[in-house]
Tab-separated table of all heavy atoms in Angstrom:
chain	number	residue	atom	x	y	z
A	7	LEU	N	58.682	-30.070	46.311
A	7	LEU	CA	59.238	-29.243	45.324
A	7	LEU	C	59.397	-27.795	45.880
A	7	LEU	O	60.338	-27.072	45.633
A	7	LEU	CB	58.373	-29.204	44.089
A	7	LEU	CG	58.462	-30.468	43.195
A	7	LEU	CD1	57.453	-30.353	42.081
A	7	LEU	CD2	59.828	-30.667	42.684
A	8	ALA	N	58.415	-27.405	46.749
A	8	ALA	CA	58.490	-26.027	47.389
A	8	ALA	C	59.741	-25.973	48.241
A	8	ALA	O	60.425	-24.908	48.314
A	8	ALA	CB	57.240	-25.711	48.134
A	9	ARG	N	60.001	-27.039	49.013
A	9	ARG	CA	61.237	-27.081	49.884
A	9	ARG	C	62.497	-27.015	48.995
A	9	ARG	O	63.448	-26.369	49.325
A	9	ARG	CB	61.176	-28.332	50.723
A	9	ARG	CG	60.225	-28.238	51.853
A	9	ARG	CD	60.405	-29.373	52.880
A	9	ARG	NE	60.270	-30.697	52.325
A	9	ARG	CZ	59.182	-31.333	52.204
A	9	ARG	NH1	57.996	-30.835	52.647
A	9	ARG	NH2	59.092	-32.590	51.624
A	10	LYS	N	62.435	-27.730	47.873
A	10	LYS	CA	63.664	-27.754	46.982
A	10	LYS	C	63.878	-26.353	46.352
A	10	LYS	O	64.984	-25.881	46.260
A	10	LYS	CB	63.469	-28.754	45.916
A	10	LYS	CG	64.606	-28.838	44.985
A	10	LYS	CD	64.967	-30.255	44.640
A	10	LYS	CE	66.194	-30.289	43.768
A	10	LYS	NZ	67.116	-31.275	44.071
A	11	VAL	N	62.754	-25.669	45.952
A	11	VAL	CA	62.903	-24.357	45.413
A	11	VAL	C	63.434	-23.385	46.423
A	11	VAL	O	64.279	-22.519	46.121
A	11	VAL	CB	61.515	-23.826	44.918
A	11	VAL	CG1	61.430	-22.383	44.681
A	11	VAL	CG2	61.107	-24.589	43.627
A	12	GLU	N	63.021	-23.548	47.711
A	12	GLU	CA	63.503	-22.652	48.754
A	12	GLU	C	65.019	-22.883	48.917
A	12	GLU	O	65.771	-21.956	49.021
A	12	GLU	CB	62.803	-22.929	50.024
A	12	GLU	CG	63.147	-22.003	51.154
A	12	GLU	CD	62.330	-22.361	52.462
A	12	GLU	OE1	61.166	-22.728	52.314
A	12	GLU	OE2	62.887	-22.137	53.545
A	13	TRP	N	65.446	-24.154	48.914
A	13	TRP	CA	66.815	-24.474	49.012
A	13	TRP	C	67.689	-23.921	47.858
A	13	TRP	O	68.745	-23.374	48.035
A	13	TRP	CB	67.014	-25.996	49.173
A	13	TRP	CG	68.487	-26.406	49.256
A	13	TRP	CD1	69.228	-26.420	50.363
A	13	TRP	CD2	69.352	-26.759	48.182
A	13	TRP	NE1	70.504	-26.837	50.125
A	13	TRP	CE2	70.587	-27.069	48.702
A	13	TRP	CE3	69.149	-26.937	46.819
A	13	TRP	CZ2	71.681	-27.459	47.933
A	13	TRP	CZ3	70.175	-27.376	46.030
A	13	TRP	CH2	71.494	-27.603	46.584
A	14	LEU	N	67.105	-24.042	46.629
A	14	LEU	CA	67.799	-23.557	45.483
A	14	LEU	C	67.906	-22.018	45.487
A	14	LEU	O	68.881	-21.466	45.071
A	14	LEU	CB	67.101	-24.038	44.201
A	14	LEU	CG	67.285	-25.500	43.849
A	14	LEU	CD1	66.429	-25.864	42.690
A	14	LEU	CD2	68.695	-25.824	43.503
A	15	SER	N	66.849	-21.369	45.963
A	15	SER	CA	66.888	-19.858	46.117
A	15	SER	C	68.065	-19.530	47.052
A	15	SER	O	68.765	-18.469	46.815
A	15	SER	CB	65.510	-19.338	46.623
A	15	SER	OG	64.579	-19.605	45.681
A	16	GLU	N	68.146	-20.113	48.140
A	16	GLU	CA	69.240	-19.832	49.122
A	16	GLU	C	70.564	-20.096	48.476
A	16	GLU	O	71.511	-19.257	48.641
A	16	GLU	CB	69.086	-20.688	50.349
A	16	GLU	CG	67.884	-20.296	51.203
A	16	GLU	CD	67.663	-21.279	52.404
A	16	GLU	OE1	68.490	-22.189	52.620
A	16	GLU	OE2	66.622	-21.179	53.072
A	17	ARG	N	70.683	-21.160	47.643
A	17	ARG	CA	71.937	-21.480	46.978
A	17	ARG	C	72.334	-20.348	45.966
A	17	ARG	O	73.419	-19.947	45.897
A	17	ARG	CB	71.835	-22.828	46.267
A	17	ARG	CG	73.001	-23.319	45.543
A	17	ARG	CD	74.194	-23.736	46.430
A	17	ARG	NE	75.222	-24.227	45.657
A	17	ARG	CZ	76.446	-23.919	45.823
A	17	ARG	NH1	76.808	-23.034	46.825
A	17	ARG	NH2	77.408	-24.350	45.045
A	18	VAL	N	71.303	-19.862	45.215
A	18	VAL	CA	71.526	-18.845	44.216
A	18	VAL	C	72.000	-17.564	44.957
A	18	VAL	O	72.918	-16.882	44.558
A	18	VAL	CB	70.301	-18.555	43.439
A	18	VAL	CG1	70.348	-17.229	42.656
A	18	VAL	CG2	69.994	-19.713	42.452
A	19	GLN	N	71.352	-17.236	46.042
A	19	GLN	CA	71.844	-16.078	46.860
A	19	GLN	C	73.227	-16.224	47.299
A	19	GLN	O	74.034	-15.301	47.287
A	19	GLN	CB	70.832	-15.877	48.023
A	19	GLN	CG	69.447	-15.393	47.655
A	19	GLN	CD	69.453	-14.075	46.893
A	19	GLN	OE1	70.170	-13.205	47.240
A	19	GLN	NE2	68.660	-14.010	45.917
A	20	ASP	N	73.650	-17.350	47.830
A	20	ASP	CA	74.987	-17.654	48.211
A	20	ASP	C	75.966	-17.522	47.086
A	20	ASP	O	77.005	-16.855	47.223
A	20	ASP	CB	75.137	-19.062	48.803
A	20	ASP	CG	74.412	-19.259	50.159
A	20	ASP	OD1	74.066	-18.188	50.805
A	20	ASP	OD2	74.186	-20.391	50.519
A	21	LEU	N	75.598	-17.934	45.928
A	21	LEU	CA	76.465	-17.897	44.786
A	21	LEU	C	76.546	-16.446	44.253
A	21	LEU	O	77.656	-15.982	43.923
A	21	LEU	CB	75.988	-18.708	43.601
A	21	LEU	CG	76.189	-20.248	43.830
A	21	LEU	CD1	75.472	-21.028	42.706
A	21	LEU	CD2	77.635	-20.587	43.976
A	22	MET	N	75.476	-15.671	44.390
A	22	MET	CA	75.532	-14.244	43.977
A	22	MET	C	76.385	-13.476	44.918
A	22	MET	O	77.136	-12.553	44.510
A	22	MET	CB	74.106	-13.659	43.983
A	22	MET	CG	73.168	-14.270	42.928
A	22	MET	SD	73.732	-13.833	41.229
A	22	MET	CE	73.133	-12.122	41.120
A	23	ARG	N	76.226	-13.747	46.245
A	23	ARG	CA	77.173	-13.106	47.192
A	23	ARG	C	78.636	-13.424	46.927
A	23	ARG	O	79.481	-12.515	46.924
A	23	ARG	CB	76.849	-13.485	48.615
A	23	ARG	CG	75.541	-12.727	49.150
A	23	ARG	CD	75.424	-12.972	50.666
A	23	ARG	NE	74.871	-14.258	50.941
A	23	ARG	CZ	73.597	-14.533	50.940
A	23	ARG	NH1	72.748	-13.606	50.620
A	23	ARG	NH2	73.201	-15.811	51.208
A	24	GLU	N	78.922	-14.673	46.555
A	24	GLU	CA	80.285	-15.047	46.261
A	24	GLU	C	80.806	-14.327	45.031
A	24	GLU	O	81.887	-13.885	44.929
A	24	GLU	CB	80.325	-16.517	46.065
A	24	GLU	CG	81.777	-17.131	45.772
A	24	GLU	CD	82.714	-16.978	46.881
A	24	GLU	OE1	82.272	-16.704	48.055
A	24	GLU	OE2	83.939	-17.060	46.664
A	25	LEU	N	79.899	-14.181	44.011
A	25	LEU	CA	80.269	-13.526	42.787
A	25	LEU	C	80.561	-12.007	43.078
A	25	LEU	O	81.573	-11.493	42.546
A	25	LEU	CB	79.168	-13.653	41.716
A	25	LEU	CG	79.319	-12.825	40.431
A	25	LEU	CD1	80.503	-13.421	39.675
A	25	LEU	CD2	78.037	-12.907	39.620
A	26	LEU	N	79.724	-11.391	43.863
A	26	LEU	CA	79.941	-9.985	44.185
A	26	LEU	C	81.270	-9.814	44.979
A	26	LEU	O	81.986	-8.826	44.792
A	26	LEU	CB	78.818	-9.407	45.029
A	26	LEU	CG	77.538	-9.108	44.206
A	26	LEU	CD1	76.410	-8.735	45.148
A	26	LEU	CD2	77.822	-7.938	43.272
A	27	ARG	N	81.476	-10.783	45.842
A	27	ARG	CA	82.777	-10.687	46.674
A	27	ARG	C	83.946	-10.790	45.711
A	27	ARG	O	84.882	-10.018	45.867
A	27	ARG	CB	82.789	-11.830	47.642
A	27	ARG	CG	83.982	-11.728	48.582
A	27	ARG	CD	84.074	-12.925	49.503
A	27	ARG	NE	84.367	-14.150	48.870
A	27	ARG	CZ	85.594	-14.551	48.367
A	27	ARG	NH1	86.609	-13.728	48.595
A	27	ARG	NH2	85.752	-15.698	47.809
A	28	LEU	N	83.901	-11.686	44.756
A	28	LEU	CA	85.006	-11.836	43.763
A	28	LEU	C	85.128	-10.639	42.871
A	28	LEU	O	86.219	-10.248	42.554
A	28	LEU	CB	84.874	-13.162	42.980
A	28	LEU	CG	85.027	-14.431	43.744
A	28	LEU	CD1	84.728	-15.562	42.792
A	28	LEU	CD2	86.481	-14.507	44.222
A	29	GLN	N	83.978	-9.981	42.550
A	29	GLN	CA	84.104	-8.851	41.687
A	29	GLN	C	84.708	-7.625	42.414
A	29	GLN	O	85.409	-6.822	41.832
A	29	GLN	CB	82.718	-8.480	41.159
A	29	GLN	CG	82.190	-9.335	40.097
A	29	GLN	CD	80.847	-9.056	39.662
A	29	GLN	OE1	80.107	-8.401	40.332
A	29	GLN	NE2	80.447	-9.569	38.459
A	30	TRP	N	84.343	-7.504	43.691
A	30	TRP	CA	84.864	-6.379	44.459
A	30	TRP	C	86.261	-6.585	45.020
A	30	TRP	O	86.846	-5.650	45.406
A	30	TRP	CB	83.907	-6.053	45.642
A	30	TRP	CG	82.663	-5.394	45.140
A	30	TRP	CD1	81.449	-5.990	44.945
A	30	TRP	CD2	82.496	-4.014	44.642
A	30	TRP	NE1	80.601	-5.102	44.415
A	30	TRP	CE2	81.174	-3.849	44.215
A	30	TRP	CE3	83.387	-2.928	44.523
A	30	TRP	CZ2	80.678	-2.664	43.663
A	30	TRP	CZ3	82.897	-1.769	44.008
A	30	TRP	CH2	81.614	-1.649	43.656
A	31	MET	N	86.714	-7.801	45.020
A	31	MET	CA	88.064	-8.076	45.520
A	31	MET	C	88.843	-8.804	44.379
A	31	MET	O	89.069	-10.054	44.531
A	31	MET	CB	88.052	-8.893	46.783
A	31	MET	CG	87.386	-8.148	47.936
A	31	MET	SD	87.622	-8.835	49.540
A	31	MET	CE	87.061	-10.512	49.379
A	32	PRO	N	89.162	-8.183	43.256
A	32	PRO	CA	89.843	-8.906	42.241
A	32	PRO	C	91.271	-9.377	42.533
A	32	PRO	O	91.719	-10.320	41.902
A	32	PRO	CB	89.844	-7.824	41.123
A	32	PRO	CG	89.848	-6.518	41.774
A	32	PRO	CD	88.988	-6.738	43.042
A	33	SER	N	91.860	-8.904	43.635
A	33	SER	CA	93.157	-9.329	43.989
A	33	SER	C	93.139	-10.692	44.614
A	33	SER	O	94.139	-11.266	44.756
A	33	SER	CB	93.828	-8.378	44.900
A	33	SER	OG	92.952	-8.192	46.176
A	34	ALA	N	92.015	-11.146	45.036
A	34	ALA	CA	91.864	-12.487	45.646
A	34	ALA	C	92.268	-13.603	44.717
A	34	ALA	O	92.825	-14.619	45.090
A	34	ALA	CB	90.405	-12.739	46.171
A	35	VAL	N	91.925	-13.475	43.360
A	35	VAL	CA	92.347	-14.462	42.393
A	35	VAL	C	93.116	-13.788	41.328
A	35	VAL	O	92.598	-12.828	40.639
A	35	VAL	CB	91.113	-15.141	41.744
A	35	VAL	CG1	91.548	-16.118	40.754
A	35	VAL	CG2	90.284	-15.774	42.840
A	36	PRO	N	94.397	-14.127	41.080
A	36	PRO	CA	95.207	-13.387	40.082
A	36	PRO	C	94.547	-13.581	38.684
A	36	PRO	O	94.051	-14.670	38.412
A	36	PRO	CB	96.596	-14.027	40.173
A	36	PRO	CG	96.522	-14.970	41.303
A	36	PRO	CD	95.116	-15.083	41.775
A	37	ARG	N	94.650	-12.581	37.879
A	37	ARG	CA	94.074	-12.621	36.568
A	37	ARG	C	94.735	-13.721	35.725
A	37	ARG	O	94.123	-14.369	34.919
A	37	ARG	CB	94.218	-11.317	35.812
A	37	ARG	CG	92.901	-11.020	35.148
A	37	ARG	CD	92.796	-9.738	34.558
A	37	ARG	NE	91.506	-9.300	35.098
A	37	ARG	CZ	90.858	-8.306	34.614
A	37	ARG	NH1	91.294	-7.652	33.547
A	37	ARG	NH2	89.734	-8.023	35.006
A	38	SER	N	96.013	-13.928	35.839
A	38	SER	CA	96.735	-14.978	35.043
A	38	SER	C	96.141	-16.340	35.448
A	38	SER	O	96.131	-17.203	34.579
A	38	SER	CB	98.227	-14.915	35.310
A	38	SER	OG	98.515	-15.096	36.675
A	39	ALA	N	95.779	-16.632	36.657
A	39	ALA	CA	95.219	-17.873	37.042
A	39	ALA	C	93.864	-18.007	36.383
A	39	ALA	O	93.459	-19.106	35.912
A	39	ALA	CB	95.040	-17.989	38.545
A	40	LEU	N	92.982	-16.926	36.327
A	40	LEU	CA	91.708	-16.992	35.643
A	40	LEU	C	91.902	-17.266	34.192
A	40	LEU	O	91.203	-18.131	33.607
A	40	LEU	CB	91.025	-15.664	35.825
A	40	LEU	CG	90.360	-15.344	37.129
A	40	LEU	CD1	89.781	-13.928	37.167
A	40	LEU	CD2	89.274	-16.344	37.476
A	41	GLN	N	92.852	-16.575	33.593
A	41	GLN	CA	93.097	-16.821	32.184
A	41	GLN	C	93.569	-18.251	31.928
A	41	GLN	O	93.101	-18.916	30.955
A	41	GLN	CB	94.187	-15.851	31.653
A	41	GLN	CG	94.425	-16.069	30.136
A	41	GLN	CD	95.639	-15.373	29.705
A	41	GLN	OE1	96.399	-14.737	30.445
A	41	GLN	NE2	95.868	-15.400	28.404
A	42	ALA	N	94.367	-18.809	32.793
A	42	ALA	CA	94.871	-20.167	32.604
A	42	ALA	C	93.694	-21.090	32.679
A	42	ALA	O	93.635	-22.090	31.892
A	42	ALA	CB	95.914	-20.464	33.627
A	43	ASP	N	92.809	-20.927	33.601
A	43	ASP	CA	91.608	-21.743	33.744
A	43	ASP	C	90.704	-21.680	32.501
A	43	ASP	O	90.238	-22.707	32.032
A	43	ASP	CB	90.798	-21.451	34.936
A	43	ASP	CG	91.421	-21.803	36.262
A	43	ASP	OD1	92.442	-22.628	36.234
A	43	ASP	OD2	91.102	-21.328	37.307
A	44	LEU	N	90.519	-20.475	32.011
A	44	LEU	CA	89.702	-20.340	30.824
A	44	LEU	C	90.258	-20.968	29.564
A	44	LEU	O	89.657	-21.658	28.852
A	44	LEU	CB	89.433	-18.866	30.539
A	44	LEU	CG	88.578	-18.060	31.550
A	44	LEU	CD1	88.569	-16.651	31.281
A	44	LEU	CD2	87.169	-18.634	31.542
A	45	LEU	N	91.561	-20.748	29.461
A	45	LEU	CA	92.246	-21.230	28.221
A	45	LEU	C	92.574	-22.729	28.283
A	45	LEU	O	92.746	-23.385	27.235
A	45	LEU	CB	93.492	-20.413	27.957
A	45	LEU	CG	93.260	-18.968	27.577
A	45	LEU	CD1	94.567	-18.271	27.372
A	45	LEU	CD2	92.329	-18.853	26.336
A	46	ALA	N	92.561	-23.268	29.467
A	46	ALA	CA	92.797	-24.737	29.595
A	46	ALA	C	91.690	-25.536	28.931
A	46	ALA	O	91.873	-26.611	28.392
A	46	ALA	CB	92.899	-25.094	31.058
A	47	GLY	N	90.469	-24.974	28.941
A	47	GLY	CA	89.335	-25.661	28.280
A	47	GLY	C	89.411	-25.591	26.765
A	47	GLY	O	88.594	-26.296	26.127
A	48	VAL	N	90.340	-24.805	26.197
A	48	VAL	CA	90.404	-24.643	24.785
A	48	VAL	C	91.377	-25.662	24.164
A	48	VAL	O	91.384	-25.838	22.952
A	48	VAL	CB	90.924	-23.172	24.431
A	48	VAL	CG1	91.114	-22.962	23.014
A	48	VAL	CG2	89.802	-22.237	24.988
A	49	ARG	N	92.227	-26.268	24.992
A	49	ARG	CA	93.236	-27.206	24.449
A	49	ARG	C	92.583	-28.228	23.562
A	49	ARG	O	91.567	-28.926	23.898
A	49	ARG	CB	93.911	-27.909	25.641
A	49	ARG	CG	95.094	-28.703	25.261
A	49	ARG	CD	95.888	-29.225	26.462
A	49	ARG	NE	96.074	-28.280	27.532
A	49	ARG	CZ	96.911	-27.253	27.603
A	49	ARG	NH1	97.692	-27.055	26.559
A	49	ARG	NH2	96.975	-26.481	28.619
A	50	GLU	N	93.206	-28.375	22.369
A	50	GLU	CA	92.710	-29.378	21.324
A	50	GLU	C	91.366	-29.202	20.909
A	50	GLU	O	90.677	-30.096	20.510
A	50	GLU	CB	93.001	-30.802	21.867
A	50	GLU	CG	94.420	-31.141	22.124
A	50	GLU	CD	94.635	-32.573	22.640
A	50	GLU	OE1	93.684	-33.342	22.517
A	50	GLU	OE2	95.729	-32.853	23.125
A	51	LYS	N	90.806	-27.952	20.936
A	51	LYS	CA	89.456	-27.679	20.478
A	51	LYS	C	89.546	-26.635	19.334
A	51	LYS	O	90.418	-25.811	19.349
A	51	LYS	CB	88.561	-27.168	21.523
A	51	LYS	CG	88.217	-28.268	22.512
A	51	LYS	CD	87.206	-27.863	23.494
A	51	LYS	CE	86.849	-29.004	24.430
A	51	LYS	NZ	85.968	-28.675	25.455
A	52	ALA	N	88.598	-26.609	18.426
A	52	ALA	CA	88.517	-25.613	17.409
A	52	ALA	C	87.646	-24.470	17.936
A	52	ALA	O	86.578	-24.678	18.373
A	52	ALA	CB	87.917	-26.152	16.202
A	53	VAL	N	88.152	-23.295	17.798
A	53	VAL	CA	87.462	-22.040	18.287
A	53	VAL	C	87.279	-21.123	17.077
A	53	VAL	O	88.231	-20.674	16.383
A	53	VAL	CB	88.286	-21.352	19.417
A	53	VAL	CG1	87.521	-20.111	19.837
A	53	VAL	CG2	88.549	-22.242	20.528
């Protein structure tokens, strides 16, 4: 379990770095693509 926790901590750090990279470089993913991905999950659902 300690080895797994260490691996998960490294994974969280990698994901945090990726999140920061995406936040600081918003031009990497167009906003319309983000909106399309978010709204695609709404199809045929009650909100």
